[in-house]
Amino acid sequence: MQIYIKNIRVIDPIQNKDNIENIFIKNDYIVSRFTMNNNVQVIDGTDKIAIPGLIDIHSHLRTPGEETKETIHSGTKSAAAGGITTVLCMPNTNPVIDNVQTVKFILTKVKNEGIINVLPVGCATQGSAGNVVAEIGHLKDAGVIAISDDGLPITNTRVMRCVLEYTKMFNIPLITHSEDLELSKYGVMNEGLNSTILGLKGIPNQAEDIMVSRDIMLAELTGAHLHIAHVSTAGSVNLIRQAKKKGIYITAETCPHYFTLTDDAVKCFNTNAKVNPPLRTKADIDAIKHGLADGTIDCICTDHAPHTIDDKNKEFEIAPFGIIGFETVLNLVLEELVDKGILSLSQAIAKMTCNPAKIFHLTKRGSLTVGNKADITIINPKLLYTFNKRDIHSKSKNSPFIGRKFKGKVVMTIVSGNIVHNI
Amino acid sequence: MGSKNINELLNIDKIYNGCFPCKDLLGLELLDKRTLQTILRVAAYFKQALVKPNHKSSILDGKTLITLFYEPSTRTRISFELAAKKLSADVINIAINTSSITKGENLIDTGKTLEAMKADYIILRHYFSGAPNILAKYLTTSIINAGDGEHEHPTQGLLDLYTIYEYKKDFSNLKVLLVGDILHSRVAKSNIWALTKMGAQVSVVGPPTLVPCYIKNLGVKVYYNFDEAIIQADVINMLRIQFERQQENFFPSIREYVKLYQLTKQRLLLANPNVLVMHPGPMNRGIEISSDVIEEYHNTVVNKQVTNGIAIRMAILYLLNKRRC
């Protein structure tokens, strides 16, 4: 299989490249060139942009156990449509991914029905119960590339320390969902004027800040690699910035909704804007943008969290947390960060390609360097479209961005030399 | 009765000079001053009719009203039922423990079932904030919020507004003090919306654990010291301590709460001599309010509030029906 993409604007942050070029793909890999023959598929890249396939380091594919919300097939299809070629899936499934069999089950599913790369994240503690460190050695051998009890923090500080210490011999990051569960207890949205008016229990910023602060201190104590998930507050951004200055081994991510929406989106009890951590305020958005610009926040991910219409069509207080994100992430990054001058196009793409590849030690991905896997996303930057419910590839439709008009669209996604999405 | 009803209608139409902004009454946040004034005038009309003998009217003849209460209630449910019956609507009450809800039916499906049975109004009380908003979104039936979680209790807010109006006539520069559990109180929120829109100055007083700091952003003055707050008040609205909504201890003991926040005759001496004392009920006697204030103080209007509640609910039923016609 050979593909020749001609005359395309290639943006590859790690090579500091932004040129009109040709791309040659042979079998799974990007090659420097080949002689043309009748078997080469030629793609005209005129007026289009090629970037390294996006790496989404935080998602929920709901397999095993909650396949009514998402399957490996529907989830990877949705991701491909959003220009994502590699996705990390979190272990808060049913059963949780704390054992080799479940990892193998997922990888088999991926082989049979997945259309992009799926890398499972394993549990940090057995059963994600927060008591005993999981068999990280076994899990890593089976294929997990990070560990996390995502959805929950490890509340016991001693256990958290133990997990961090233990990870060091595997060179594997611990992804932490930093939340003080006592302070956030009963909370369903950001604590503020809107929660007061709506009569909904609030979650103060400090529920995140306190735990981020604790986790940073434990990272300092242990020297382990701590990756802080879905940063939503100005306080966390400041804490992470200070920690990095001190040389503590910290990396961090945020999601488009945390730099796009405030808790105003919850008005009228919109359950599609119910997410944890919750949508915050303008001041938090500004701080997160600042943190992205100065490198405090390394990555942008989706925290794609599908829930069925039945799950979400409930009273706000009992509807589950979470919003889908695969199919809007690139557009939101382009509009909210690049168009608004927060990040250059190259910096923005780095947050979704080479940065996550580096943090999670993914070799031959995250760049269009010759010799790398041919994971490529092609964008038509001029295409205007409306994000409609009926066009969503995910099994779930719980997005607060439905109806939003976007400029620019992923028109082709290539994974290991195979075209998996094409419009 | 027939000709009398036409006259009644004409009279009301004369004072009804606007359209209700939506098919539902979900909260007072969504109403403007003009609509509130209209409601007060229509309620005044019904109040006047209410005190006459044989005051039943046929305005809502053939209409069906269903009360759907997910929380216990005495006065609100009966008040709606009486208001509807005085306007000749048919009333059906659904008690949650005998309905399909105990079989796991969700709120929207329950609502749609009632809509399919041609209910004209659903009066919903629910322990979750925003439950009426969900029904209103999915149903064409008029939804009236009879109290949702900690969000709003609009008809209570309106009847409090009307009661204050009866006694004080003018809201400008009127000082209204809400006392106690502001955090959990939907009544407080509806009162704040209604009163601030009408130009009154609203203050709240309570322990800081029960007074959300963001309430200031609604133009409300916050006090923690009752003796300090009571001095200027023209109206005191005592809120019930909502033990059922408090998952934590927000104050150390009832004894300490009583000492700091109970309205007693002693404390009333600090207030204006004609200060109006209100309570939305049900009262925790001996906790937020002492029995002697209820029984002996000349300006305690708790029972007046209950009567006015019927007039207000008649007005709302009438106005929502008007909009539909």
mmCIF file of all heavy atoms in Angstrom, chain B residues 2 26 28 35 41 74 115 123 129 132 148 163 166 173 182-183 186 195 231 233 258 280 285 300 313 318 320:
data_model
loop_
_atom_site.group_PDB
_atom_site.id
_atom_site.type_symbol
_atom_site.label_atom_id
_atom_site.label_comp_id
_atom_site.label_asym_id
_atom_site.label_seq_id
_atom_site.Cartn_x
_atom_site.Cartn_y
_atom_site.Cartn_z
ATOM 1 N N GLY B 2 -73.829 32.406 34.881
ATOM 2 C CA GLY B 2 -73.246 32.655 33.560
ATOM 3 C C GLY B 2 -72.885 34.104 33.317
ATOM 4 O O GLY B 2 -71.741 34.431 33.016
ATOM 5 N N LEU B 26 -42.052 28.777 36.159
ATOM 6 C CA LEU B 26 -40.937 27.967 36.666
ATOM 7 C C LEU B 26 -40.198 28.661 37.794
ATOM 8 O O LEU B 26 -39.686 28.018 38.706
ATOM 9 C CB LEU B 26 -39.964 27.648 35.533
ATOM 10 C CG LEU B 26 -40.565 26.897 34.341
ATOM 11 C CD1 LEU B 26 -39.542 26.726 33.239
ATOM 12 C CD2 LEU B 26 -41.111 25.545 34.783
ATOM 13 N N LEU B 28 -39.384 32.967 39.585
ATOM 14 C CA LEU B 28 -39.592 34.408 39.490
ATOM 15 C C LEU B 28 -38.391 35.107 38.861
ATOM 16 O O LEU B 28 -38.486 36.264 38.462
ATOM 17 C CB LEU B 28 -39.914 34.986 40.865
ATOM 18 C CG LEU B 28 -41.162 34.360 41.529
ATOM 19 C CD1 LEU B 28 -41.497 35.088 42.824
ATOM 20 C CD2 LEU B 28 -42.369 34.355 40.595
ATOM 21 N N THR B 35 -44.934 42.063 34.732
ATOM 22 C CA THR B 35 -45.683 40.813 34.914
ATOM 23 C C THR B 35 -46.019 40.616 36.392
ATOM 24 O O THR B 35 -47.136 40.201 36.733
ATOM 25 C CB THR B 35 -44.868 39.618 34.386
ATOM 26 O OG1 THR B 35 -44.446 39.910 33.061
ATOM 27 C CG2 THR B 35 -45.680 38.343 34.385
ATOM 28 N N ARG B 41 -52.261 42.463 40.653
ATOM 29 C CA ARG B 41 -53.592 43.048 40.398
ATOM 30 C C ARG B 41 -54.644 41.972 40.177
ATOM 31 O O ARG B 41 -55.772 42.082 40.667
ATOM 32 C CB ARG B 41 -53.506 43.984 39.194
ATOM 33 C CG ARG B 41 -52.679 45.213 39.512
ATOM 34 C CD ARG B 41 -52.333 45.973 38.267
ATOM 35 N NE ARG B 41 -53.478 46.733 37.771
ATOM 36 C CZ ARG B 41 -53.440 47.444 36.648
ATOM 37 N NH1 ARG B 41 -52.357 47.467 35.911
ATOM 38 N NH2 ARG B 41 -54.496 48.112 36.270
ATOM 39 N N THR B 74 -48.513 20.209 52.757
ATOM 40 C CA THR B 74 -49.896 20.391 53.167
ATOM 41 C C THR B 74 -50.452 21.616 52.478
ATOM 42 O O THR B 74 -51.314 21.520 51.602
ATOM 43 C CB THR B 74 -50.005 20.589 54.693
ATOM 44 O OG1 THR B 74 -49.193 19.623 55.329
ATOM 45 C CG2 THR B 74 -51.436 20.443 55.156
ATOM 46 N N GLU B 115 -49.690 14.333 30.179
ATOM 47 C CA GLU B 115 -50.021 15.173 29.032
ATOM 48 C C GLU B 115 -50.958 14.425 28.075
ATOM 49 O O GLU B 115 -51.925 14.991 27.569
ATOM 50 C CB GLU B 115 -48.733 15.561 28.302
ATOM 51 C CG GLU B 115 -48.950 16.431 27.093
ATOM 52 C CD GLU B 115 -47.633 16.804 26.436
ATOM 53 O OE1 GLU B 115 -46.798 15.912 26.188
ATOM 54 O OE2 GLU B 115 -47.430 17.998 26.194
ATOM 55 N N ILE B 123 -48.931 20.649 38.359
ATOM 56 C CA ILE B 123 -48.322 21.370 39.471
ATOM 57 C C ILE B 123 -47.273 20.427 40.053
ATOM 58 O O ILE B 123 -47.615 19.371 40.582
ATOM 59 C CB ILE B 123 -49.359 21.698 40.575
ATOM 60 C CG1 ILE B 123 -50.664 22.214 39.974
ATOM 61 C CG2 ILE B 123 -48.761 22.655 41.603
ATOM 62 C CD1 ILE B 123 -50.562 23.479 39.187
ATOM 63 N N SER B 129 -33.697 20.366 42.220
ATOM 64 C CA SER B 129 -33.733 21.671 41.553
ATOM 65 C C SER B 129 -33.811 21.467 40.050
ATOM 66 O O SER B 129 -33.092 20.635 39.501
ATOM 67 C CB SER B 129 -32.465 22.462 41.883
ATOM 68 O OG SER B 129 -32.335 22.643 43.273
ATOM 69 N N PRO B 132 -38.940 20.987 37.344
ATOM 70 C CA PRO B 132 -40.012 21.575 36.519
ATOM 71 C C PRO B 132 -39.496 22.094 35.170
ATOM 72 O O PRO B 132 -40.214 22.049 34.172
ATOM 73 C CB PRO B 132 -40.529 22.744 37.363
ATOM 74 C CG PRO B 132 -40.046 22.481 38.746
ATOM 75 C CD PRO B 132 -38.768 21.718 38.612
ATOM 76 N N ASP B 148 -39.025 23.463 43.877
ATOM 77 C CA ASP B 148 -38.088 22.464 43.353
ATOM 78 C C ASP B 148 -36.753 22.579 44.075
ATOM 79 O O ASP B 148 -36.050 23.572 43.948
ATOM 80 C CB ASP B 148 -37.911 22.599 41.833
ATOM 81 C CG ASP B 148 -37.328 23.927 41.380
ATOM 82 O OD1 ASP B 148 -37.594 24.949 42.037
ATOM 83 O OD2 ASP B 148 -36.597 23.943 40.373
ATOM 84 N N THR B 163 -48.764 39.616 50.031
ATOM 85 C CA THR B 163 -49.075 39.922 51.435
ATOM 86 C C THR B 163 -48.383 41.221 51.864
ATOM 87 O O THR B 163 -48.987 42.076 52.524
ATOM 88 C CB THR B 163 -48.643 38.746 52.338
ATOM 89 O OG1 THR B 163 -49.241 37.546 51.840
ATOM 90 C CG2 THR B 163 -49.072 38.965 53.778
ATOM 91 N N GLU B 166 -50.250 44.075 50.323
ATOM 92 C CA GLU B 166 -51.506 44.387 51.034
ATOM 93 C C GLU B 166 -51.270 45.318 52.219
ATOM 94 O O GLU B 166 -52.047 46.216 52.478
ATOM 95 C CB GLU B 166 -52.128 43.083 51.565
ATOM 96 C CG GLU B 166 -53.113 42.450 50.634
ATOM 97 C CD GLU B 166 -53.958 41.370 51.336
ATOM 98 O OE1 GLU B 166 -53.536 40.844 52.397
ATOM 99 O OE2 GLU B 166 -55.024 41.077 50.823
ATOM 100 N N ASN B 173 -38.036 51.489 48.621
ATOM 101 C CA ASN B 173 -37.375 51.724 49.913
ATOM 102 C C ASN B 173 -37.887 50.847 51.051
ATOM 103 O O ASN B 173 -37.526 51.058 52.208
ATOM 104 C CB ASN B 173 -37.463 53.190 50.341
ATOM 105 C CG ASN B 173 -36.751 54.069 49.339
ATOM 106 O OD1 ASN B 173 -35.676 53.702 48.857
ATOM 107 N ND2 ASN B 173 -37.360 55.177 48.996
ATOM 108 N N ILE B 182 -30.844 30.461 54.431
ATOM 109 C CA ILE B 182 -30.962 31.004 53.076
ATOM 110 C C ILE B 182 -30.446 29.979 52.059
ATOM 111 O O ILE B 182 -30.998 29.808 50.977
ATOM 112 C CB ILE B 182 -30.133 32.313 52.937
ATOM 113 C CG1 ILE B 182 -30.438 33.282 54.092
ATOM 114 C CG2 ILE B 182 -30.353 32.960 51.579
ATOM 115 C CD1 ILE B 182 -31.855 33.737 54.196
ATOM 116 N N LEU B 183 -29.392 29.290 52.430
ATOM 117 C CA LEU B 183 -28.724 28.345 51.528
ATOM 118 C C LEU B 183 -29.673 27.291 50.952
ATOM 119 O O LEU B 183 -29.670 27.015 49.763
ATOM 120 C CB LEU B 183 -27.582 27.644 52.282
ATOM 121 C CG LEU B 183 -26.743 26.627 51.505
ATOM 122 C CD1 LEU B 183 -25.942 27.312 50.409
ATOM 123 C CD2 LEU B 183 -25.811 25.868 52.446
ATOM 124 N N ARG B 186 -35.619 27.600 48.862
ATOM 125 C CA ARG B 186 -36.169 28.048 47.574
ATOM 126 C C ARG B 186 -37.076 29.251 47.775
ATOM 127 O O ARG B 186 -37.223 30.087 46.888
ATOM 128 C CB ARG B 186 -36.914 26.902 46.903
ATOM 129 C CG ARG B 186 -37.968 26.245 47.766
ATOM 130 C CD ARG B 186 -38.314 24.856 47.255
ATOM 131 N NE ARG B 186 -39.309 24.170 48.069
ATOM 132 C CZ ARG B 186 -39.427 22.847 48.109
ATOM 133 N NH1 ARG B 186 -38.616 22.088 47.414
ATOM 134 N NH2 ARG B 186 -40.363 22.284 48.838
ATOM 135 N N LEU B 195 -38.916 40.598 45.201
ATOM 136 C CA LEU B 195 -38.815 41.851 45.939
ATOM 137 C C LEU B 195 -37.812 42.811 45.310
ATOM 138 O O LEU B 195 -38.081 44.020 45.222
ATOM 139 C CB LEU B 195 -38.426 41.547 47.393
ATOM 140 C CG LEU B 195 -39.539 40.895 48.216
ATOM 141 C CD1 LEU B 195 -38.976 40.245 49.474
ATOM 142 C CD2 LEU B 195 -40.613 41.923 48.576
ATOM 143 N N ILE B 231 -33.019 45.919 63.125
ATOM 144 C CA ILE B 231 -33.340 47.307 63.476
ATOM 145 C C ILE B 231 -34.080 48.050 62.377
ATOM 146 O O ILE B 231 -35.085 48.711 62.628
ATOM 147 C CB ILE B 231 -32.037 48.068 63.876
ATOM 148 C CG1 ILE B 231 -31.496 47.467 65.184
ATOM 149 C CG2 ILE B 231 -32.295 49.556 64.048
ATOM 150 C CD1 ILE B 231 -30.107 47.943 65.556
ATOM 151 N N ALA B 233 -35.648 46.781 59.698
ATOM 152 C CA ALA B 233 -36.591 46.025 58.871
ATOM 153 C C ALA B 233 -38.025 46.543 58.954
ATOM 154 O O ALA B 233 -38.511 46.902 60.025
ATOM 155 C CB ALA B 233 -36.542 44.555 59.273
ATOM 156 N N VAL B 258 -31.099 28.851 68.331
ATOM 157 C CA VAL B 258 -32.200 29.578 68.993
ATOM 158 C C VAL B 258 -31.671 30.859 69.631
ATOM 159 O O VAL B 258 -32.252 31.939 69.491
ATOM 160 C CB VAL B 258 -32.873 28.662 70.040
ATOM 161 C CG1 VAL B 258 -33.758 29.457 70.988
ATOM 162 C CG2 VAL B 258 -33.673 27.564 69.345
ATOM 163 N N PRO B 280 -43.285 31.349 55.862
ATOM 164 C CA PRO B 280 -43.940 30.588 54.789
ATOM 165 C C PRO B 280 -44.557 29.270 55.261
ATOM 166 O O PRO B 280 -45.356 28.670 54.544
ATOM 167 C CB PRO B 280 -42.799 30.316 53.799
ATOM 168 C CG PRO B 280 -41.549 30.375 54.622
ATOM 169 C CD PRO B 280 -41.814 31.348 55.720
ATOM 170 N N ARG B 285 -41.951 25.708 65.622
ATOM 171 C CA ARG B 285 -42.166 26.542 66.807
ATOM 172 C C ARG B 285 -41.061 26.305 67.818
ATOM 173 O O ARG B 285 -40.675 25.171 68.057
ATOM 174 C CB ARG B 285 -43.496 26.192 67.472
ATOM 175 C CG ARG B 285 -44.667 26.895 66.849
ATOM 176 C CD ARG B 285 -45.925 26.545 67.639
ATOM 177 N NE ARG B 285 -47.107 27.017 66.937
ATOM 178 C CZ ARG B 285 -47.930 27.935 67.449
ATOM 179 N NH1 ARG B 285 -47.709 28.449 68.657
ATOM 180 N NH2 ARG B 285 -48.972 28.323 66.761
ATOM 181 N N THR B 300 -48.206 39.662 63.101
ATOM 182 C CA THR B 300 -47.830 38.361 62.539
ATOM 183 C C THR B 300 -48.931 37.943 61.566
ATOM 184 O O THR B 300 -50.090 37.850 61.947
ATOM 185 C CB THR B 300 -47.670 37.303 63.646
ATOM 186 O OG1 THR B 300 -46.664 37.747 64.542
ATOM 187 C CG2 THR B 300 -47.278 35.954 63.077
ATOM 188 N N ARG B 313 -52.647 31.781 43.542
ATOM 189 C CA ARG B 313 -52.661 30.598 42.662
ATOM 190 C C ARG B 313 -53.828 30.664 41.677
ATOM 191 O O ARG B 313 -53.709 30.218 40.531
ATOM 192 C CB ARG B 313 -52.675 29.328 43.515
ATOM 193 C CG ARG B 313 -51.297 29.168 44.189
ATOM 194 C CD ARG B 313 -51.134 28.080 45.181
ATOM 195 N NE ARG B 313 -49.754 28.101 45.678
ATOM 196 C CZ ARG B 313 -49.396 28.341 46.939
ATOM 197 N NH1 ARG B 313 -50.312 28.541 47.886
ATOM 198 N NH2 ARG B 313 -48.136 28.376 47.277
ATOM 199 N N TYR B 318 -55.334 31.444 36.147
ATOM 200 C CA TYR B 318 -56.080 32.266 35.187
ATOM 201 C C TYR B 318 -55.157 32.811 34.095
ATOM 202 O O TYR B 318 -55.441 32.715 32.898
ATOM 203 C CB TYR B 318 -56.781 33.417 35.916
ATOM 204 C CG TYR B 318 -57.290 34.456 34.970
ATOM 205 C CD1 TYR B 318 -58.438 34.246 34.206
ATOM 206 C CD2 TYR B 318 -56.590 35.643 34.789
ATOM 207 C CE1 TYR B 318 -58.879 35.185 33.303
ATOM 208 C CE2 TYR B 318 -57.012 36.587 33.876
ATOM 209 C CZ TYR B 318 -58.171 36.357 33.134
ATOM 210 O OH TYR B 318 -58.589 37.284 32.230
ATOM 211 N N LEU B 320 -52.145 31.876 33.097
ATOM 212 C CA LEU B 320 -51.556 30.863 32.208
ATOM 213 C C LEU B 320 -52.614 30.358 31.219
ATOM 214 O O LEU B 320 -52.310 30.105 30.052
ATOM 215 C CB LEU B 320 -50.980 29.693 33.013
ATOM 216 C CG LEU B 320 -49.694 29.978 33.776
ATOM 217 C CD1 LEU B 320 -49.294 28.757 34.600
ATOM 218 C CD2 LEU B 320 -48.557 30.353 32.833
#
